[in-house]
Amino acid sequence: MYAWIWRHIPFKQWQLKALVSLVLIGAVGALLWYQVFPAVEPALPFDDVQVETTDPAGGQMEPPSTAPSSTGPSKLPSKLPTKTPSAPQVLPS
């Protein structure tokens, strides 16, 4: 397809053919961006977001608080939970 377009651009110099090719690419991109994509957007499922509000364990989860904190931004826990060290594995030699 690109070779067919390149052969049918009515200029002999490759610089002019390259310029016309870039203009064609830009025109096709603008057509897609401003006409085609907005027309098909309602049919696409990007805004169909579903949020699960129940705990997978079966309990009901509380919604997050939307009130601003009076103490400033939330802080990360000072100590992260660690795994209990297990016995070292001995591999047969």
Side-chain angles (χ1 to χ4, degrees):
M1 176 177 86
Y2 298 112
W4 181 87
I5 293 171
W6 187 261
R7 285 191 309 267
H8 286 82
I9 293 176
F11 298 108
K12 300 286 184 197
Q13 297 173 337
W14 69 269
Q15 294 92 347
L16 288 175
K17 282 189 174 194
L19 179 64
V20 170
S21 296
L22 289 174
V23 169
L24 284 174
I25 290 170
V28 168
L31 177 72
L32 287 171
W33 192 265
Y34 293 110
Q35 297 295 319
V36 176
F37 295 155
V40 299
E41 182 196 12
L44 298 176
F46 296 131
D47 292 335
D48 187 20
V49 178
Q50 297 178 4
V51 178
E52 189 174 314
T53 59
T54 59
D55 186 11
Q60 185 71 19
M61 293 178 63
E62 295 182 18
S65 173
T66 57
S69 174
S70 62
T71 61
S74 64
K75 295 183 179 180
L76 295 174
S78 61
K79 184 176 180 183
L80 297 174
T82 59
K83 290 177 114 181
T84 307
S86 59
Q89 287 185 331
V90 178
L91 300 174
S93 51

